[in-house]
Amino acid sequence: MTTALEAILNALDTDPDRPRVENRGRAFSGADLRGRIGARAADLQSAGVKQDDRILIIVSDNLSAIEQLIACWILGASAVLVDFRAPSSRIEEWRQRIAPQLVLGLRTVPGQHVHRQARDPDPAMPDLEKFSYQSHAPGRLALCVSSSGTTGLPKLTDVTQDRLAWILTLLNDDPRTLRQGTFLSAMSVGFSASCYVWLRLLLSGRPILALDLIYRLSELDTGLKRTDVLETVLAPGAIRQLAALPWDGTRRYPQLQRLACVGGPARPQDKLAAVTRLSDAYIMNYSCIGVGMIARITAPEVLQRPASCGRPEPGVTLEIRNEGRLCSPGEIGEIFVSTARLSDHRPGDLGWLDEAGYLYVTGRVQGLLSRNGVNFNAERLVAAALACPDVLEAGVATLRDSDDGDAVHLVVQAATTATERVRNTLGTLLRQTLAAAEYPDKIHVWTDMPLTAGGKVDSRMLAERLAERLAETLAQHTESAP
């Protein structure tokens, strides 16, 4: 394989009438997708996109975003994908960092100049042969992928056409890769792991059932019950919500051959619930940008070591260090990852290894909080909140207090019907679980939560939104004061 572009276009031409993607009740064949990609490429060309340009794609629909990405490649351009749920200020941050020649999307974004494309291109589709795409340039940039940026500025990694082709081939050639059945897609391709999945499936020819990025839990549940759906990749929060559905004592999705969890280590109780209630094909992947898969744990291992992330993948070396010193088994320190391609990569997580080499992640390096000289990890506070009934998601933000330094704010998400109940009970339940030094200064109950494209709580956005809401509340009180 020379380039990812060449391989994917060739794959779409193989049995072109076979359905490849199902979305909103419509089936799209390889020929349909090739035509839609060509229409998008023609539109981008008329907008002035040319070779070596960099395009910022705002993802509000996975199918359209992947088509737009491949259309950029046809013109010799590269792309960065950002989820549409990011605020306009975050999109502006991306504009400043990568200086794109065009911001592309299906909808307008407040404060941004977006080149809008139709969700469904004109069916009068041009022939791709009219474009002089650079299939002979494997070193040309294809993607610029980013880390989640949950606690800091996202890290960027450039991926060339030949590098991407190598990654996709490696994924498809993995003996653990499924060769048949429909893949259910519910995660935004703004999350790089999801983007790789889509490209890999287009290359292999396996069909994709694509849910809208904002879906109801019932829609996800219904899709996962389809007998042809054999695989999916979901964020821990989605799996947690599925496991909380009414249970009759049998596994809910017995036909699944893989129920993968990505986007951060899942809680032990969530992993056990996934294995016992959802599917015995559950696996949890621990990975990061720039490295790929680091470790994974399967259902049988979860039953024995529910708190673990599994053992390192072949070719991956894990070390736990504390101030440069190699930690002993059982000792917590910062995680360092080495492969044949890189050395001492720092995912930004704290953890420990047991005697058998299983990894346990305990929190983020930047998640360490300090108050009145006492250190504690934000992950413990989040875990305690998630253990409370009716709490769907939780995050911690520290904001500057004018009198007492940083104040620790716990923000939890609950259904609209449960917010009052959570407000009345959460504080008492936390005091029964946490040490006094770990208790938050303030608790906020919301009906929504800012998430990254990978389904993690976006701590930076959470802090921004919390500060805005507190300022609005203060202004309202000031206006109403006599």
Side-chain angles (χ1 to χ4, degrees):
M1 189 191 317
T2 304
T3 68
L5 168 64
E6 207 166 38
I8 290 172
L9 292 182
N10 288 338
L12 293 179
D13 287 338
T14 303
D15 194 2
D17 296 327
R18 179 164 51 89
R20 303 295 297 270
V21 178
E22 180 184 341
N23 180 237
R24 293 189 171 186
R26 297 173 58 189
F28 299 92
S29 67
D32 293 332
L33 295 179
R34 223 185 191 275
R36 288 164 62 94
I37 291 167
R40 297 193 187 283
D43 175 70
L44 292 179
Q45 189 176 59
S46 66
V49 175
K50 57 188 184 301
Q51 185 173 299
D52 295 326
D53 281 352
R54 184 172 290 187
I55 310 304
L56 179 63
I57 298 175
I58 302 176
V59 181
S60 55
D61 168 76
N62 277 344
L63 174 59
S64 299
I66 290 295
E67 292 169 349
Q68 291 164 339
L69 173 64
I70 299 174
C72 288
W73 294 348
I74 287 171
L75 301 177
S78 62
V80 179
L81 290 86
V82 177
D83 193 89
F84 79 103
R85 287 162 285 198
S88 56
S89 60
R90 187 65 57 84
I91 294 173
E92 179 59 31
E93 180 181 285
W94 280 109
R95 287 175 64 106
Q96 296 295 326
R97 292 187 70 184
I98 67 173
Q101 278 69 34
L102 191 72
V103 177
L104 178 63
L106 300 185
R107 62 182 71 188
T108 58
V109 176
Q112 301 292 327
H113 296 291
V114 178
H115 177 79
R116 293 184 60 190
Q117 284 190 333
R119 181 186 179 98
D120 293 306
D122 191 323
M125 305 169 194
D127 186 350
L128 293 191
E129 298 303 324
K130 68 177 288 187
F131 301 105
S132 301
Y133 64 86
Q134 302 295 317
S135 60
H136 62 277
R140 177 154 287 124
L141 185 61
L143 273 168
C144 184
V145 296
S146 73
S147 62
S148 63
T150 53
T151 55
L153 201 62
K155 297 178 181 178
L156 299 174
T157 302
D158 287 343
V159 181
T160 59
Q161 281 283 338
D162 56 346
R163 172 71 182 170
L164 180 58
W166 177 81
I167 291 172
L168 298 179
T169 301
L170 193 67
L171 292 173
N172 273 331
D173 290 347
D174 189 325
R176 296 170 295 191
T177 297
L178 294 186
R179 311 294 175 189
Q180 59 185 357
T182 299
F183 180 94
L184 185 147
S185 168
M187 296 183 68
S188 170
V189 295
F191 177 49
S192 59
S194 182
C195 180
Y196 285 151
V197 166
W198 268 77
L199 297 173
R200 172 175 64 83
L201 294 173
L202 291 179
L203 185 60
S204 69
R206 281 183 56 203
I208 303 169
L209 171 60
L211 298 188
D212 286 341
L213 296 188
I214 297 180
Y215 58 82
R216 293 188 297 271
L217 187 63
S218 60
E219 293 175 316
L220 177 59
D221 182 46
T222 298
L224 289 172
K225 287 179 177 177
R226 280 182 28 171
T227 56
D228 63 310
V229 172
L230 301 185
E231 182 180 13
T232 190
V233 175
L234 299 173
I239 292 178
R240 183 167 61 246
Q241 292 180 50
L242 290 170
L245 291 172
W247 185 44
D248 64 3
T250 62
R251 289 187 174 94
R252 197 173 189 90
Y253 315 115
Q255 91 290 353
L256 285 182
Q257 295 183 18
R258 177 166 295 143
L259 171 60
C261 176
V262 298
R267 300 184 306 158
Q269 57 267 48
D270 292 340
K271 284 183 272 190
L272 288 170
V275 172
T276 56
R277 296 190 173 203
L278 302 182
S279 171
D280 60 0
Y282 172 85
I283 61 172
M284 195 208 76
N285 298 320
Y286 174 61
S287 61
C288 71
I289 290 295
V291 179
M293 197 68 65
I294 296 175
R296 73 175 72 198
I297 189 164
T298 63
E301 294 171 308
V302 165
L303 297 177
Q304 297 178 352
R305 293 176 170 86
S308 176
C309 292
R311 284 190 284 199
E313 287 283 277
V316 174
T317 300
L318 285 181
E319 290 185 346
I320 311 297
R321 302 179 193 169
N322 188 351
E323 297 182 351
R325 177 182 57 82
L326 195 63
C327 294
S328 303
E331 184 181 358
I332 294 176
E334 184 176 354
I335 298 171
F336 286 78
V337 182
S338 296
T339 67
R341 199 172 57 85
L342 51 83
S343 298
D344 293 342
H345 184 85
R346 304 169 70 177
D349 290 325
L350 299 169
W352 57 280
L353 292 167
D354 66 15
E355 294 283 357
Y358 280 83
L359 174 67
Y360 299 76
V361 176
T362 60
R364 296 286 294 171
V365 172
Q366 292 177 314
L368 191 65
L369 306 178
S370 180
R371 181 173 49 194
N372 298 327
V374 178
N375 294 333
F376 65 98
N377 202 299
E379 295 296 326
R380 276 185 47 81
L381 179 50
V382 168
L386 288 174
C388 299
D390 298 314
V391 172
L392 302 176
E393 195 57 87
V396 174
T398 55
L399 298 180
R400 174 64 59 180
D401 186 290
S402 59
D403 298 321
D404 303 314
D406 288 341
V408 177
H409 294 255
L410 171 66
V411 182
V412 300
Q413 179 185 357
T416 304
T417 55
T419 54
E420 197 60 33
R421 184 163 58 249
V422 171
R423 287 192 182 96
N424 293 333
T425 61
L426 181 57
T428 300
L429 293 172
L430 290 178
R431 289 191 184 279
Q432 295 171 356
T433 306
L434 298 170
E438 297 173 318
Y439 194 80
D441 295 293
K442 295 180 181 178
I443 298 175
H444 310 267
V445 182
W446 296 355
T447 56
D448 65 337
M449 187 73 78
L451 302 176
T452 67
K456 300 179 186 178
V457 173
D458 190 324
S459 298
R460 285 203 302 149
M461 196 185 303
L462 179 67
E464 292 171 10
R465 188 175 297 180
L466 178 61
E468 291 172 359
R469 293 191 181 187
L470 291 176
E472 290 173 2
T473 301
L474 178 61
Q476 291 170 1
H477 288 168
T478 302
E479 291 174 1
S480 61

